């Protein structure tokens, strides 16, 4: 590997997950062994991007549905947490490092996407500051390890897109979603609940009982709408409840890509396989983040 190759370091290793390859491998193996493969092979998955101590077990349910023998390209769509972005952005890197092994960016697909004029180029600093894509790299490396020299990745940082932009990107990416050798990873946590500065979201439906039950009810309402694969219903749900689903734009892009393929008579279904919360909120001083893992299967 020449020194000129631009590499994105595993900047959150050692804090959001262990920097030790052997320890990380053992953790991922442990979580994956607890999950069942019930909805595979997945063409797309939705999985969380929090620290692995919080969401590693939940994410395993999505990754368990991945078939490495057919997957040759992994698109990873993650929301932008730190930089204002109204479109989507591509990485300046050629290689993404993980404590397990390095992942190669598909430069041909990147060139095709760049040619559309719909993408910006993020800086390496922005790329390394962001965790929404990185948290999927160790799991991707683990799920694909039996074919580790035979696949590439296509990381896409998704900005705060308008509904019409979600539709445009969905249309553009639908041709890739139609290809069985591609896997889409949609990076999203679900409700961020609490009075704290970071979340400022305290929706509470008392008829559900404790606060954490209300959060679960709200999240599962959204998950049920995602399972219907209808982008308009999902937009309406977000407008009505303002649920703090941080990957709502990547999810919107996926739903629009699916809608595009459905027009061509392709039959698909999405099912959520696991749901978890970082803690159970019972008081107004509490806070929590929810996680969900699910898979899209094309018939």
């Amino acid at each position: 590997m020449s020194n000129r190759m631009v590499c994105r370091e595993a900047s959150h290793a050692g804090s959001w997950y262990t920097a030790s390859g052997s320890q990380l491998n053992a953790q991922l193996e442990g979580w994956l062994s607890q999950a069942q493969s019930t909805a595979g092979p997945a063409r797309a998955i939705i999985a969380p991007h929090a620290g692995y101590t919080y969401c590693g077990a939940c994410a395993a349910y999505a990754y368990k549905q991945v078939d490495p023998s057919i997957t040759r390209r992994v698109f990873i769509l993650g929301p932008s947490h730190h930089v204002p972005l109204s479109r989507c952005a591509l990485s300046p890197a050629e290689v993404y490092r993980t404590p397990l092994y390095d992942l190669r960016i598909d430069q041909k697909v990147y060139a095709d996407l760049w040619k559309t004029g719909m993408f910006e180029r993020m800086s390496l600093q922005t790329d390394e500051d962001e965790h929404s894509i990185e948290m999927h790299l160790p799991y991707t490396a683990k799920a694909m390890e039996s074919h580790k020299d035979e696949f590439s990745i296509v990381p896409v940082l998704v900005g705060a897109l308008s509904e019409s932009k979600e539709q445009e990107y969905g249309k553009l990416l639908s041709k890739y979603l139609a290809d069985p050798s591609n896997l889409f990873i949609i990076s999203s946590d679900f409700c961020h609940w609490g009075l704290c500065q970071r979340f400022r979201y305290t929706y509470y439906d008392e008829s559900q009982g404790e606060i954490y039950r209300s959060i679960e009810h709200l999240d599962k309402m959204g998950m049920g709408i995602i399972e219907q694969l209808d982008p308009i219903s999902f937009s309406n749900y977000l407008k009505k409840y303002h649920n703090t689903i941080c990957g709502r734009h990547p999810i919107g892009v996926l739903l629009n890509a699916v809608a595009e393929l459905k027009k061509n008579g392709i039959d698909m279904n999405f099912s959520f396989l696991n749901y978890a919360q970082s803690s159970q909120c019972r008081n107004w001083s509490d806070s929590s983040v929810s996680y969900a893992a699910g898979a899209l299967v094309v018939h």
Side-chain angles (χ1 to χ4, degrees):
M1 208 180 270
S2 86
N3 294 333
R4 287 195 302 277
M5 194 164 271
V6 182
C7 295
R8 181 202 184 279
E9 295 303 326
S11 49
H12 293 73
S15 51
W16 290 56
Y17 56 96
T18 177
S20 152
S22 57
Q23 227 178 329
L24 183 58
N25 188 54
Q27 281 178 349
L28 296 172
E29 253 167 33
W31 289 319
L32 286 164
S33 71
Q34 300 295 306
Q36 292 75 42
S37 58
T38 49
R43 186 71 56 88
I45 59 174
I46 293 176
H49 54 235
Y52 280 1
T53 48
Y54 295 106
C55 76
C58 174
Y61 284 81
Y63 280 93
K64 191 76 170 199
Q65 318 311 321
V66 173
D67 183 350
S69 70
I70 57 173
T71 306
R72 292 295 162 264
R73 214 174 279 111
V74 180
F75 287 74
I76 308 171
L77 275 58
S80 175
H81 286 87
H82 304 294
V83 294
L85 189 63
S86 63
R87 302 199 299 164
C88 290
L90 304 177
S91 171
E94 291 154 274
V95 166
Y96 272 18
R97 296 205 187 286
T98 85
L100 301 177
Y101 59 89
D102 293 348
L103 303 178
R104 202 170 34 84
I105 290 184
D106 193 310
Q107 294 302 329
K108 188 193 174 307
V109 173
Y110 251 28
D112 291 345
L113 294 178
W114 188 249
K115 269 189 223 134
T116 63
M118 291 167 68
F119 293 83
E120 296 173 25
R121 188 77 70 178
M122 59 178 134
S123 68
L124 191 60
Q125 182 70 55
T126 292
D127 200 353
E128 290 183 348
D129 285 349
E130 181 55 64
H131 63 274
S132 73
I133 292 172
E134 181 181 341
M135 296 310 293
H136 291 281
L137 304 176
Y139 252 123
T140 297
K142 183 64 188 164
M144 293 298 296
E145 69 183 343
S146 60
H147 291 71
K148 71 178 192 185
D149 300 319
E150 299 165 41
F151 80 99
S152 53
I153 61 168
V154 183
V156 177
L157 189 64
V158 179
L161 307 178
S162 62
E163 279 174 59
S164 62
K165 279 215 179 96
E166 284 179 5
Q167 211 173 350
E168 281 171 38
Y169 284 105
K171 213 173 215 171
L172 173 70
L173 294 173
S174 65
K175 70 168 187 186
Y176 297 103
L177 185 64
D179 181 344
S181 67
N182 291 334
L183 167 72
F184 276 73
I185 296 171
I186 306 299
S187 176
S188 186
D189 296 336
F190 274 69
C191 184
H192 297 62
W193 195 94
L195 283 163
C196 57
Q197 198 65 27
R198 283 183 313 149
F199 301 161
R200 289 206 209 106
Y201 182 75
T202 51
Y203 170 86
Y204 180 31
D205 173 359
E206 289 179 25
S207 72
Q208 297 302 320
E210 298 268 23
I211 294 171
Y212 72 89
R213 295 255 185 230
S214 163
I215 295 170
E216 179 171 356
H217 182 257
L218 177 70
D219 280 331
K220 289 195 167 166
M221 198 192 310
M223 289 156 67
I225 288 166
I226 292 167
E227 288 180 334
Q228 292 165 18
L229 297 174
D230 177 8
I232 293 160
S233 299
F234 185 58
S235 289
N236 291 340
Y237 161 83
L238 291 170
K239 282 177 197 151
K240 182 172 179 183
Y241 296 101
H242 305 283
N243 192 0
T244 42
I245 300 172
C246 53
R248 57 192 172 275
H249 297 298
I251 293 170
V253 171
L254 174 71
L255 294 179
N256 278 286
V258 166
E260 193 61 31
L261 294 187
K262 280 188 153 174
K263 285 183 200 164
N264 304 330
I266 298 175
D267 182 29
M268 287 163 280
N269 75 289
F270 190 97
S271 46
F272 278 101
L273 307 162
N274 189 259
Y275 174 79
Q277 294 176 351
S278 60
S279 60
Q280 293 188 334
C281 292
R282 289 184 164 85
N283 304 302
W284 290 101
S285 56
D286 294 341
S287 65
S288 74
V289 180
S290 311
Y291 314 115
L296 177 81
V297 176
V298 179
H299 301 292

